[in-house]
């Protein structure tokens, strides 16, 4: 017996009679499909045209089918005062603040992939401040300012680094392989964003984040109203668990569902479609059929920007402040036993601070208590909203 069979239909019309508040518990476990991506490639709009002619770079971003168009205050490299001390570059960022352009010192350790070329024969900073160039023999290595912002140690604030999500889209071919790169090379909305930023926010820059969203897994929980005994038999429970754990979405469906969830979550200004996507009631988006047939009751799309060194944000989705989750000792790792443990903990905190979860329940509280809607503990009456409704 599937959940749909037990309910008669997943597509209950709005306003139809639903289960009473004291609902029956069908299964002991709930399931959500969890979609997530490897870390993004970060480009400037100008990089699109360089990447088009670079087969090696195109191979590196193969499979990047979800893209975010973002903006933040412009951060450049001061062409004066840059110096190398061994494998460490020292310089200054120029950043627009309310009081005017400000200088912020930074130090950047040359990545391991370039260490065998240290010392460099020469180096320089573009007059525009948009990148530096490292020279070794006949090889020139350009390093974009946004990469230095991501990797260098500086006193830039989180707010100055934050990337405001303006648009979420997908690029995936129907009959042949296509990535976000091909889509963005011919994208009227991107052209409009660039025109608007240039005219209305000239002290801002636009950055593109390209994601794959190639990973999926089942997320199971024994939430819901724990005071109720499941109605299903042992065999029905086993079949239910098998359906959930064997859930596999097609590549196209992964991309489509990730796009819909991220648009619904960030509510980007320049997106028109999918901002009111239906996940729990009425005419659900078609891609959810693959999820619902396997008894899933939730969708979780995880997105991380830690490699960009910048948090994602929008008016409807602000970054998590770790100080609200951990005390000072936990944030500093002072209770940990070794430097290696503290280093690993700092990396974990960095990733947590740069991660968002677009979470949506596929049933309403009236249809059924689910872990996505909250847990009612034994002896209690109030839902604890652990994951968001």
């Amino acid at each position: 017996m599937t959940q749909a069979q037990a309910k008669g239909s997943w597509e209950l019309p709005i306003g139809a009679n639903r289960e009473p508040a004291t609902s029956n518990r069908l299964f002991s476990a709930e399931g959500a499909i969890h979609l997530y991506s490897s870390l993004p490639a970060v480009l400037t709009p100008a990089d699109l045209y360089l990447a088009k002619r670079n087969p090696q770079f195109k191979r590196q971003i193969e499979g990047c089918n979800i893209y975010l168009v973002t903006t933040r205050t412009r951060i450049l490299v001061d062409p004066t005062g840059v110096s190398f001390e061994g494998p460490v570059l020292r310089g200054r960022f120029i950043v627009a603040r309310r009081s005017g352009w400000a200088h912020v010192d930074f130090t950047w350790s040359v990545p391991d992939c370039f260490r065998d070329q240290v010392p460099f024969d020469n180096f320089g900073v573009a007059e525009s401040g948009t990148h530096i160039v490292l020279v070794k023999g006949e090889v020139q290595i350009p390093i974009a300012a946004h990469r230095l912002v991501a990797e260098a140690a500086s006193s830039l604030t989180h707010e100055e680094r934050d990337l405001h999500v303006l648009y979420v889209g997908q690029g995936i071919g129907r009959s042949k392989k296509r990535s976000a790169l091909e889509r963005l090379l011919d994208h009227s909305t991107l052209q409009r964003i660039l025109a608007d930023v240039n005219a209305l926010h000239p002290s801002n820059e636009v950055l593109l984040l390209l994601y794959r969203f190639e990973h999926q897994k089942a997320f199971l929980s024994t939430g819901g109203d724990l005071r109720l005994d499941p109605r299903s038999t042992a065999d029905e429970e086993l079949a239910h668990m098998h359906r959930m754990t064997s859930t596999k979405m097609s590549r196209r469906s992964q991309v489509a569902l990730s796009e819909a969830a991220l648009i619904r979550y960030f509510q980007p200004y320049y997106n028109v479609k999918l901002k009111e996507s239906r996940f729990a009631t009425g005419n659900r988006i078609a891609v959810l059929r693959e999820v619902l047939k396997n008894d899933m009751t939730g969708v979780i799309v995880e997105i991380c920007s830690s490699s960009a060194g910048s948090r994602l944000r929008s008016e409807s989705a602000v970054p998590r402040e770790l100080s609200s989750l951990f005390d000072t000792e936990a944030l500093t790792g002072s209770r940990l036993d070794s430097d290696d443990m503290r280093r690993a903990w700092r990396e974990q905190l960095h990733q947590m601070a740069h991660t968002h979860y677009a979470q949506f329940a596929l049933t309403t509280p009236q249809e059924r208590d689910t872990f996505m809607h909250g847990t009612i503990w034994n002896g209690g009456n109030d839902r604890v909203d652990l994951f968001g409704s």
Side-chain angles (χ1 to χ4, degrees):
M1 177 173 59
T2 67
Q3 293 186 32
Q5 290 169 334
K7 304 297 296 178
S9 171
W10 276 101
E11 302 299 336
L12 292 177
I14 296 176
N17 292 329
R18 304 183 185 276
E19 289 182 307
T22 55
S23 60
N24 294 311
R25 185 181 176 89
L26 182 56
F27 297 112
S28 61
E30 308 275 1
I33 186 70
H34 181 197
L35 304 177
Y36 56 103
S37 173
S38 52
L39 293 172
V42 184
L43 290 75
T44 68
D47 292 331
L48 293 173
Y49 302 94
L50 298 175
K52 181 182 180 181
R53 301 190 298 270
N54 189 328
Q56 181 180 357
F57 183 79
K58 291 181 72 173
R59 285 193 297 270
Q60 290 175 348
I61 63 170
E62 186 176 3
C64 288
N65 298 120
I66 292 288
Y67 57 88
L68 273 59
V69 182
T70 69
T71 188
R72 71 172 173 209
T73 187
R74 188 176 297 279
I75 304 174
L76 302 170
V77 180
D78 186 349
T80 64
V82 176
S83 63
F84 260 110
E85 297 178 12
V88 176
L89 177 72
R90 299 185 182 277
R92 297 187 303 176
F93 289 127
I94 305 175
V95 59
R97 290 177 172 166
R98 290 185 179 180
S99 57
W101 291 96
H103 290 83
V104 178
D105 293 337
F106 74 84
T107 58
W108 179 66
S109 296
V110 174
D112 291 340
C113 58
F114 299 143
R115 286 296 176 98
D116 59 349
Q117 302 185 59
V118 176
F120 293 99
D121 296 334
N122 201 355
F123 65 92
V125 182
E127 291 186 5
S128 61
T130 55
H131 61 281
I132 66 172
V133 178
L134 309 178
V135 180
K136 186 69 173 183
E138 297 182 354
V139 178
Q140 294 189 3
I141 306 169
I143 306 293
H146 65 76
R147 178 173 177 178
L148 294 174
V149 171
E151 299 177 359
S154 74
S155 59
L156 287 171
T157 66
H158 280 305
E159 289 71 23
E160 289 169 338
R161 297 168 178 263
D162 283 352
L163 295 171
H164 296 254
V165 179
L166 301 179
Y167 187 86
V168 177
Q170 63 160 296
I172 185 168
R174 294 186 176 275
S175 58
K176 61 180 181 179
K177 285 187 176 181
R178 192 172 82 151
S179 70
L181 174 63
E182 285 80 17
R183 178 72 182 96
L184 286 165
L185 281 166
D186 182 22
H187 201 301
S188 58
T189 304
L190 174 60
Q191 300 306 314
R192 178 190 168 191
I193 291 172
L194 292 174
D196 284 353
V197 170
N198 182 62
L200 306 175
H201 305 282
S203 62
N204 278 24
E205 60 183 333
V206 172
L207 292 176
L208 311 172
L209 277 65
L210 278 55
Y211 289 89
R212 287 185 172 84
F213 279 96
E214 71 273 47
H215 302 299
Q216 60 178 298
K217 64 182 178 181
F219 185 92
L220 306 184
S221 170
T222 55
D225 192 338
L226 302 180
R227 302 169 299 183
L228 300 175
D229 292 326
R231 291 187 299 162
S232 59
T233 66
D235 288 342
E236 289 167 346
E237 284 276 16
L238 287 173
H240 169 63
M241 292 294 292
H242 176 73
R243 283 191 294 271
M244 290 192 297
T245 56
S246 62
T247 299
K248 291 294 181 184
M249 298 187 70
S250 67
R251 175 66 181 146
R252 183 176 298 281
S253 295
Q254 278 182 260
V255 171
L257 184 53
S258 298
E259 179 196 34
L262 293 173
I263 291 174
R264 186 71 178 86
Y265 176 74
F266 283 111
Q267 293 287 298
Y269 178 81
Y270 289 90
N271 280 99
V272 177
K273 299 178 180 179
L274 299 176
K275 291 174 80 167
E276 302 299 327
S277 297
R278 307 292 286 273
F279 287 90
T281 60
N283 296 319
R284 296 182 178 90
I285 55 177
V287 70
L288 288 174
R289 292 170 187 165
E290 286 188 49
V291 180
L292 294 172
K293 72 181 181 182
N294 288 316
D295 290 3
M296 290 299 192
T297 57
V299 169
I300 305 171
V301 176
E302 175 183 343
I303 187 167
C304 182
S305 59
S306 61
S307 61
S310 301
R311 304 178 305 181
L312 299 173
R313 70 181 306 136
S314 67
E315 289 188 9
S316 65
V318 296
R320 290 188 299 179
E321 295 294 342
L322 297 185
S323 58
S324 66
L325 302 175
F326 303 102
D327 59 28
T328 302
E329 284 188 309
L331 288 173
T332 59
S334 60
R335 291 190 288 261
L336 298 176
D337 295 333
S338 68
D339 289 341
D340 287 342
M341 292 177 67
R342 281 185 284 273
R343 188 179 305 109
W345 176 236
R346 285 195 298 270
E347 292 174 359
Q348 184 67 30
L349 289 175
H350 180 74
Q351 183 169 326
M352 290 174 63
H354 291 78
T355 300
H356 287 265
Y357 296 92
Q359 303 176 127
F360 301 97
L362 303 182
T363 60
T364 66
Q366 292 77 20
E367 288 175 312
R368 186 157 174 262
D369 290 334
T370 75
F371 83 101
M372 294 294 291
H373 291 110
T375 294
I376 300 178
W377 301 105
N378 286 321
N381 292 305
D382 297 326
R383 276 193 179 87
V384 179
D385 192 3
L386 299 177
F387 293 92
S389 299

